[in-house]
Structures are given as C-alpha cells and as structure tokens.
Amino acid sequence: MFAKKNLIAVAALATLAVSAQAQSSVTLYGNVDVAVGRFGAPFGESVTAVESSGLTESFFGLKGQEDLGGGLKAVFKLEAPIAVDTGAASTTNFFGKNAYVGVAGAFGAVNVGRQESLFKQEAIAFNPLGASKLSPTALAFGLQNDSWSNTVGYVSPNLGGLTISAQHSFKEATKPAGADSYNGGATAVAANYTVGALGLSAVYGDVRSTQNEAFSDERARAFLVGASYDFGVAKAFAQYGQVKFEDKATDFGKDKFFQIGAIVPVTAAGSVHVSYGQNKGDDFKDQAFTLAYNHNLSKRTGVYAGFERVKSKDDVLGSDSANTFVVGARHAF
C-alpha cells in the first residue's frame, strides 16, 4: 500500500511537470546543490557532514504569466527552499522563498504575498558567492537572509538603467494596549543602477517584524549599498552596510559590515571566487575569508570546491576561529 501511494504521488508530480511544460506561460524550475565536507564554527564543534546549498541556493519553483490585454499581464511565483541532504523543506513555510501573485505592465509590477526581502536580493547580487553558505555576506546583520510575509512589493520599469523597488510587510493584528513594544511590520526601499559593466545598489529598511506579528520588542533600521564592475579578466564586488538595533529601553549601537570580492575566470568552464568580509558591533567582531573554485560541466551542471576561515572575537566568549572545507555539485533545471 505504501509503495502504491508513492507511485501515485510520483505520477501526480510527473503530471504537474508535463502540464507546466505544456503551457508556455507556466515554468517548473529550480536548483539542486549539495556539498560534503568538514564544517566548522567559532565557539562550536567541527563536524563532517552533507549539507544543502553549498555554493548556490537549493529550491524548486513554479512561475507563470497570463496576458490580460492592454499591455497588462498577471504573474505568479511559488518557490520552496529544499534541504537536499534530508529531502525536507528547509523553512517552516513550504513556499518560504516566494509565494505571490501580481500584475505587471508599463508602470512596473505590483506583487502581493510572501517575497524575498530587498536586503536579501541586494546581498546576493553584489557578492561573488551569492547565496552560498560560504559567503562572508552571511556574516551581515541577518536581514539579508529573510523573506517577508504579508507583503506588497513594487518594482519600477527600467528607467535608463535605473530601477526603484519598495516593499511593505503588514502586521495582522493589533498591538495589545499598554504593550511597551513596537508595532509589527517592515518597510524597505531600494534603487539599482546598471550601465555597461557597472552595477550599483542601495537599500534602506525599517524592520520590526516580517512574519505576521502584531508587535516586536526590537527594531532594526538598516542600509546596505553594493557595487560591481566587470573588467573582463575579473568581476569585482563590494558591499557596505549598517544596522541599528534598539528596543524601547536600550539603544544597542550599530553593527557595521563590509565585503569585498571577485570572480576570476581561469578557463572557459572554470572560475575562482574569492571574498573577504567583516561584521563589527560594540562587543564583537566577526571576519571571514572564502576561496572557492567552480567548474561548469554544462550550462546547467557544475562541481565546486571551497574553503572558508571565520574568526570571531566576543567580549564575553573571547576569541576563536574555525575552518570549513567542502566539495559539491549543483544542477539547475
């Protein structure tokens, strides 16, 4: 009986895939990335393990559009992060990466639902390791890892290389009377400019809560700027950001983050990715250096090897460092 149910489930998924491919407006796609290695963390133990998303983010998705006439189209996107090492969804929300529907036209696009935050989009775009677990940008202040629920987002059309984006995450309840906390919700705005080999970005946000909460005990006001330039022989990246955490009683000061790095093609199929980053607050400092090699076996499949060294200094815990070594494979579909 169990095997029969599994066959039925597989058949249903196959039918979905065929249906998605049969309609030109719907696409089934994704990325599967898995690595094996020795993973270390300061003040923790090193473990030999198999991990998902070693170099690129593992997920699968469905996206599509429908022509509404008059230059308008309906769009949707559903994306689910995958833990390839276990086969489980890697977030509590199944479609935890994106789950929205919207309308697009000459005015730009308005999307409603769960969406990757502008901080995450900018963090990934302007570092040489993208969403990799090995990226020093992962040291930054946490906002770059988030998708926002209950969100209305806007993306402008391309205005001579400039695009403007905005997001607002709504709370779903009223803050209790007398609660010494902030109203829930979050707002962010971003600008991106691309001309030739140059790319620039800036995002600012006021974040209290992004997962439906009516209130939050903590507030974060942050900005992140990024730049990239493709010299041909190498593509250089740089990022700088600050976040100010506070609650009603305490100002926790500012965390300051920067990252510099590059992608250097070394063969027609291979490239070296190198990055250094630092995140520093009033009572801690984290530093990371990553060196990785990526080799494309085809347009969709590749293998890689990477090394990361992280050093941490904490006023309470003291100082420690750790190394991570991985080899992995990835396939996009």
Side-chain angles (χ1 to χ4, degrees), residues 86-104:
T86 65
S90 63
T91 59
T92 303
N93 302 321
F94 184 75
F95 288 113
K97 184 175 168 70
N98 282 295
Y100 64 77
V101 65
V103 177

Side-chain angles (χ1 to χ4, degrees), residues 38-40 129 132-139 275 287-292 306-310 322-326:
R38 188 73 173 171
F39 296 84
L129 289 139
S132 170
K133 289 182 177 179
L134 300 177
S135 172
T137 300
L139 292 177
S275 178
Q287 299 168 285
F289 170 79
T290 298
L291 180 66
F307 164 77
E308 180 186 41
R309 180 169 177 81
V310 179
N323 298 325
T324 294
F325 304 88
V326 301

Side-chain angles (χ1 to χ4, degrees), residues 137-216:
T137 300
L139 292 177
F141 28 77
L143 301 178
Q144 81 283 357
N145 298 322
D146 207 2
S147 289
W148 291 6
S149 294
N150 285 14
T151 297
V152 175
Y154 169 74
V155 181
S156 77
N158 190 315
L159 307 170
L162 175 69
T163 57
I164 305 296
S165 305
Q167 291 178 336
H168 181 73
S169 175
F170 290 87
K171 61 177 183 175
E172 283 197 338
T174 302
K175 183 177 73 172
D180 190 18
S181 56
Y182 300 100
N183 284 317
T187 303
V189 294
N192 286 268
Y193 181 69
T194 303
V195 55
L198 175 67
L200 301 171
S201 77
V203 56
Y204 172 82
D206 184 348
V207 181
R208 285 89 61 202
S209 65
T210 62
Q211 309 299 325
N212 309 335
E213 299 92 346
F215 64 93
S216 173

Side-chain angles (χ1 to χ4, degrees), residues 45 62 66 76 124 132 152-153 182 184 211 221 238 267 278 287-288 290 311 326 329:
E45 294 184 355
L62 286 166
E66 180 187 13
F76 80 90
I124 292 173
S132 170
V152 175
Y182 300 100
Q211 309 299 325
R221 286 180 284 186
T267 68
Q278 175 181 285
Q287 299 168 285
T290 298
K311 296 175 63 177
V326 301

Side-chain angles (χ1 to χ4, degrees), residues 16-76:
L16 174 62
V18 170
S19 175
Q21 292 174 356
Q23 302 177 54
S24 61
S25 60
V26 179
T27 304
L28 173 64
Y29 63 101
N31 185 68
V32 181
D33 182 315
V34 66
V36 60
R38 188 73 173 171
F39 296 84
F43 310 111
E45 294 184 355
S46 294
V47 295
T48 300
V50 175
E51 291 285 347
S52 184
S53 305
L55 186 66
T56 55
E57 191 171 14
S58 296
F59 72 97
F60 79 89
L62 286 166
K63 63 181 178 181
Q65 63 182 48
E66 180 187 13
D67 188 354
L68 302 177
L72 296 177
K73 59 183 177 182
V75 298
F76 80 90

Side-chain angles (χ1 to χ4, degrees), residues 78-134:
L78 302 171
E79 292 182 333
I82 309 168
V84 180
D85 51 326
T86 65
S90 63
T91 59
T92 303
N93 302 321
F94 184 75
F95 288 113
K97 184 175 168 70
N98 282 295
Y100 64 77
V101 65
V103 177
F107 62 88
V110 176
N111 301 312
V112 182
R114 184 171 174 84
Q115 301 169 47
E116 288 182 296
S117 76
L118 295 176
F119 282 101
K120 181 178 180 181
Q121 295 176 41
E122 303 302 320
I124 292 173
F126 288 88
N127 87 81
L129 289 139
S132 170
K133 289 182 177 179
L134 300 177

